[in-house]
């Protein structure tokens, strides 16, 4: 059912904060809770009617911190066990409901989508969304052996949505995956191969994109790393830009050592008007969508993301807009492939269209699950400065696993309604492929679909290959000590398309917490033509 008039949901306040703490003054050390409170205070003040909104806010939803997203975190400085309650009490709000989000960088936009619907249905009057990370303070204090006190308790009732199901399988983790910097390279290399680019050419592409992003971050007062970096620096391995996992160097990936917080205040047109919030503060959510992909092993094409493409398409279609009508974009940028795939899906040239308003996760900073709260706040500020324009935010979680999109404007939507992406989700689910080969096949041949070389401090540690066999994909890990493969790949060899023979490996069920799952070992890889290609390239150079 379409919603119009006083029940239309709007954002009326945005707030951000950043702290550059050097570790010297313990009293000045930021905490996730303190950053949340500061950002929320800024958002309430931004609305222009802070006192009225404090009385109106009945729901506080907080994005899950990075520490609380990792099982068995040690919490050396203690922890806040109830963020919604602590924030409600410190701000003196009258809120009666609290939520602590699930894990994922998609959560800020997902929460906006969810509470926009709830507001439109009259289920709440005003909502405070916030989140923060103080990972930089944590690392600095740990290194300096400086004691901090982050412990906080509250009896405020709240819903803890938990960590959720693992975003990787046991087989994927056994093959060296299951961590963003080790998993995203498979998408990056597969996308490069689909474009037909050499590894050096693709490195140039990544450096060009990231140079642009760093320039935006350098001008952003909320950036954690406000320094413009040249494409030359970004494409060159060095002590300051060392290899992590091919094709990535340090400054190609999200930097989590930040002290940043962001917050949004949402309400309805009717409530904002009654509270006296100035009209030029109102930002409407137009189309919105949230979709997810299956595990890496079951995705039909590692060079694409079904949930990314579909969420963008769904949000724009519900907004009745074309990409060319959007002026301000902020595309999640934990790794370059997310931006490249979004630009491709939108039909945009990233060289001509700026795809970040913050500066991106490598340079603005990557505050855990909460980055897109900053993105939304930044887009809101841009829209207020250009009334009548439109902005789009794409949030990403997991390993290109979950995507949430939102379209925003100072102009009211013609026919706003709650998004229902269930049909698209069913199509994504139905496209999944097999993630293991028939156990009766003790050995089998396949072709390398993608790969990465994971680096240690001094040298490559291991290679992970994604291998396609008929309608199945499997992963195999090859230790650097077991093969020259890591050295060859680290020095420029491109194995994509190479024929390989794998064998089923034995797995001890007792070593697996939930039973055994398939594992594979490399018997042979045919790199003859690939080696010849590299040799010819070097000779011509």
């Amino acid at each position: 059912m379409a919603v119009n008039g006083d029940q239309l949901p709007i954002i009326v306040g945005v707030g951000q904060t950043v702290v550059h703490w050097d570790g010297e003054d313990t009293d000045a050390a930021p905490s996730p809770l303190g950053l949340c409170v500061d950002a929320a205070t800024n958002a309430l003040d931004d609305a222009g009617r802070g006192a009225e909104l404090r009385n109106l806010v009945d729901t506080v939803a907080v994005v899950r911190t990075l520490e609380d997203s990792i099982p068995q975190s040690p919490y050396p400085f203690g922890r806040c066990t109830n963020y919604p309650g602590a924030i409600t009490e410190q701000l003196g709000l009258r809120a009666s409901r609290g939520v602590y989000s699930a894990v994922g960088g998609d959560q800020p936009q997902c929460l906006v989508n969810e509470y926009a619907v709830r507001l439109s249905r009259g289920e709440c009057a005003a909502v405070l969304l916030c989140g923060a990370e103080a990972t930089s303070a944590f690392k600095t204090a740990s290194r300096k052996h400086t004691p901090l006190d982050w412990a906080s308790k509250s009896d405020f009732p709240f819903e803890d949505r938990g960590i959720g199901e693992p975003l990787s399988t046991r087989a994927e983790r056994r093959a060296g995956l299951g961590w963003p910097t080790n998993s995203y390279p498979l998408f990056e290399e597969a996308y490069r191969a689909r474009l037909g680019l050499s590894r050096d050419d693709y490195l140039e592409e990544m450096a060009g994109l990231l140079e642009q992003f760093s320039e935006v971050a350098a001008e952003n007062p909320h950036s954690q790393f406000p320094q413009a970096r040249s494409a030359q620096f970004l494409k060159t391995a060095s002590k300051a830009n060392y290899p992590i996992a091919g094709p990535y160097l340090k400054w190609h990936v999200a930097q989590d050592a930040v002290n940043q917080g962001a917050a949004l205040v949402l309400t309805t047109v009717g409530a904002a008007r009654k509270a006296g919030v100035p009209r030029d503060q109102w930002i409407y959510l137009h189309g919105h969508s949230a979709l997810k992909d299956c595990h890496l092993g079951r995705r039909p094409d590692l060079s694409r993301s079904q949930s990314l493409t579909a969420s963008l398409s769904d949000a724009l279609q519900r907004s009745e807009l074309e990409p060319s009508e959007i002026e301000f974009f902020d595309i999640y940028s934990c790794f370059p492939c997310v931006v490249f795939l979004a630009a491709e899906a939108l039909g945009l040239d990233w060289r001509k269209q700026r795809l970040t308003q913050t500066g991106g996760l490598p340079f603005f900073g990557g505050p855990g699950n909460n980055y897109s709260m900053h993105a939304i706040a930044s887009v809101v500020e841009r829209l207020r400065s250009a009334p009548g324009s439109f902005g789009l935010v794409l949030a990403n979680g997991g390993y290109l696993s979950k995507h949430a999109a939102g379209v925003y404007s100072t102009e009211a939507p013609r026919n706003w309604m709650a998004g229902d992406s269930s049909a698209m989700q069913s199509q994504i689910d139905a496209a999944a492929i097999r993630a293991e080969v028939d156990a009766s096949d003790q050995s089998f041949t396949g072709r390398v679909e993608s790969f990465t070389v994971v680096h240690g401090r001094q040298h490559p540690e291991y290679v992970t290959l994604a291998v396609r066999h008929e309608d199945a994909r499997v992963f195999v890990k090859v230790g650097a000590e077991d093969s020259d493969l890591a050295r060859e790949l680290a020095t420029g060899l491109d194995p994509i398309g190479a024929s390989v023979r794998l064998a089923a490996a034995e797995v001890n069920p007792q070593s697996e917490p939930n039973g055994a799952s398939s594992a594979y070992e490399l018997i042979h890889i045919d790199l003859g033509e690939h080696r010849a290609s590299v040799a010819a390239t070097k000779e011509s150079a």
Side-chain angles (χ1 to χ4, degrees):
M1 180 182 297
V3 175
N4 288 293
D6 284 356
Q7 286 306 117
L8 280 172
I10 51 176
I11 295 174
V12 295
V14 300
Q16 299 185 69
T17 187
V18 61
V19 175
H20 299 277
W21 183 58
D22 61 7
E24 296 302 319
D25 182 0
T26 304
D27 292 337
S31 69
L33 176 59
L35 291 166
C36 272
V37 170
D38 288 348
T41 300
N42 293 340
L44 289 163
D45 291 345
D46 175 65
R49 305 295 290 183
E52 288 82 355
L53 287 173
R54 285 171 192 264
N55 293 330
L56 193 61
V57 169
D58 54 17
T59 304
V60 175
V62 182
V63 174
R64 196 174 204 87
T65 65
L66 188 59
E67 272 194 301
D68 286 344
S69 300
I70 300 172
Q72 301 176 335
S73 286
Y75 302 109
F77 304 131
R79 65 184 289 248
C80 176
T81 59
N82 184 343
Y83 277 98
I87 292 165
T88 295
E89 291 162 5
Q90 290 200 26
L91 291 175
L93 305 177
R94 296 182 178 180
S96 58
R97 294 188 294 270
V99 166
Y100 197 37
S101 85
V103 175
D106 59 320
Q107 287 303 294
Q109 184 62 56
C110 283
L111 289 172
V112 170
N113 295 353
E114 174 186 347
Y115 282 101
V117 173
R118 291 182 180 274
L119 285 162
S120 75
R121 293 173 177 170
E123 296 174 8
C124 40
V127 180
L128 172 66
L129 306 181
C130 58
E133 293 290 347
T135 310
S136 176
F138 177 93
K139 292 181 177 181
T140 299
S142 298
R143 185 176 65 252
K144 290 176 172 283
H145 305 288
T146 302
L148 299 178
D149 183 8
W150 288 359
S152 174
K153 295 182 179 180
S154 170
D155 294 327
F156 182 82
F158 75 104
E159 175 193 352
D160 187 339
R161 295 182 175 177
I163 292 178
E165 293 298 315
L167 295 172
S168 59
T169 65
R170 294 190 303 279
E172 290 165 3
R173 293 190 291 275
R174 190 184 297 112
L177 305 174
W179 194 251
T181 50
N182 301 353
S183 300
Y184 273 87
L186 300 183
F187 304 119
E188 209 81 61
E189 296 288 5
Y191 175 68
R192 172 190 64 78
R194 176 161 65 81
L195 295 184
L197 295 176
S198 70
R199 293 177 67 179
D200 286 343
D201 288 343
Y202 192 69
L203 186 59
E204 294 272 2
E205 293 286 292
M206 291 195 300
L209 174 74
L210 294 170
E211 180 182 51
Q212 289 184 8
F213 276 47
S214 75
E215 290 170 351
V216 175
E219 300 298 323
N220 188 339
H222 303 299
S223 291
Q224 194 75 53
F225 312 103
Q227 178 181 350
R229 299 183 181 272
S230 70
Q232 182 64 34
F233 169 84
L234 290 164
K235 71 181 182 181
T236 305
S238 65
K239 186 176 181 180
N241 195 32
Y242 49 83
I244 296 177
Y248 299 139
L249 305 175
K250 175 187 176 180
W251 289 102
H252 297 168
V253 308
Q255 301 296 315
D256 67 357
V258 304
N259 303 315
Q260 292 175 313
L264 310 172
V265 180
L266 282 69
T267 188
T268 61
V269 165
R273 186 182 292 115
K274 187 175 181 180
V277 177
R279 175 66 182 81
D280 58 9
Q281 295 295 102
W282 302 2
I283 297 294
Y284 296 86
L285 175 67
H286 284 239
H288 56 283
S289 182
L291 292 158
K292 62 181 181 179
D293 265 304
C294 52
H295 290 132
L296 274 67
R298 303 198 65 202
R299 298 187 197 176
D301 185 349
L302 291 179
S303 76
R304 305 176 193 274
S305 169
Q306 294 183 102
S307 62
L308 180 152
T309 300
S311 62
L312 288 171
S313 174
D314 196 21
L316 284 167
Q317 184 176 11
R318 294 181 188 282
S319 302
E320 300 178 346
L321 294 169
E322 296 295 327
S324 59
E325 297 177 85
I326 306 294
E327 186 168 353
F328 304 108
F329 292 89
D330 194 278
I331 305 299
Y332 204 90
S333 52
C334 51
F335 300 92
C337 63
V338 185
V339 184
F340 288 142
L341 288 170
E344 182 181 65
L346 293 166
L348 299 175
D349 184 344
W350 58 265
R351 298 169 187 83
K352 300 176 181 178
Q353 175 70 57
R354 189 168 80 178
L355 297 178
T356 182
Q357 303 305 313
T358 66
L361 284 89
F363 311 108
F364 169 81
N369 300 316
N370 198 55
Y371 166 78
S372 287
M373 194 81 76
H374 293 270
I376 296 166
S378 298
V379 166
V380 165
E381 291 170 348
R382 295 287 186 186
L383 294 171
R384 286 173 176 169
S385 68
S389 59
F390 291 89
L392 183 151
V393 172
L394 176 70
N396 165 77
Y399 315 121
L400 275 175
S401 307
K402 305 182 291 182
H403 292 92
V407 177
Y408 300 89
S409 180
T410 58
E411 297 298 312
R414 289 187 290 271
N415 293 294
W416 192 90
M417 63 179 62
D420 180 4
S421 304
S422 57
M424 284 188 170
Q425 188 61 62
S426 295
Q427 292 176 5
I428 292 173
D429 296 342
I433 64 172
R434 293 190 299 136
E436 59 182 21
V437 175
D438 191 327
S440 64
D441 295 332
Q442 293 303 306
S443 69
F444 57 92
T445 60
R447 292 201 173 272
V448 176
E449 185 181 14
S450 192
F451 73 101
T452 186
V453 182
V454 177
H455 291 261
R457 288 185 177 274
Q458 303 298 329
H459 50 69
E461 289 190 346
Y462 65 87
V463 171
T464 297
L465 301 176
V467 176
R468 195 66 177 259
H469 171 73
E470 298 176 351
D471 63 341
R473 176 186 300 111
V474 299
F475 302 104
V476 61
K477 179 181 178 181
V478 183
E481 71 280 3
D482 301 326
S483 167
D484 291 333
L485 183 61
R487 176 183 54 79
E488 289 193 273
L489 298 190
T491 54
L493 188 67
D494 183 357
I496 293 182
S499 175
V500 296
R501 177 162 287 277
L502 304 182
E506 292 187 6
V507 179
N508 181 4
Q510 295 181 349
S511 69
E512 298 293 331
N514 299 307
S517 61
S518 300
Y520 304 92
E521 61 182 357
L522 179 67
I523 298 175
H524 176 70
I525 179 167
D526 184 1
L527 293 170
E529 293 183 4
H530 299 261
R531 290 190 181 104
S533 175
V534 171
T537 300
K538 289 182 177 179
E539 184 177 343
S540 63

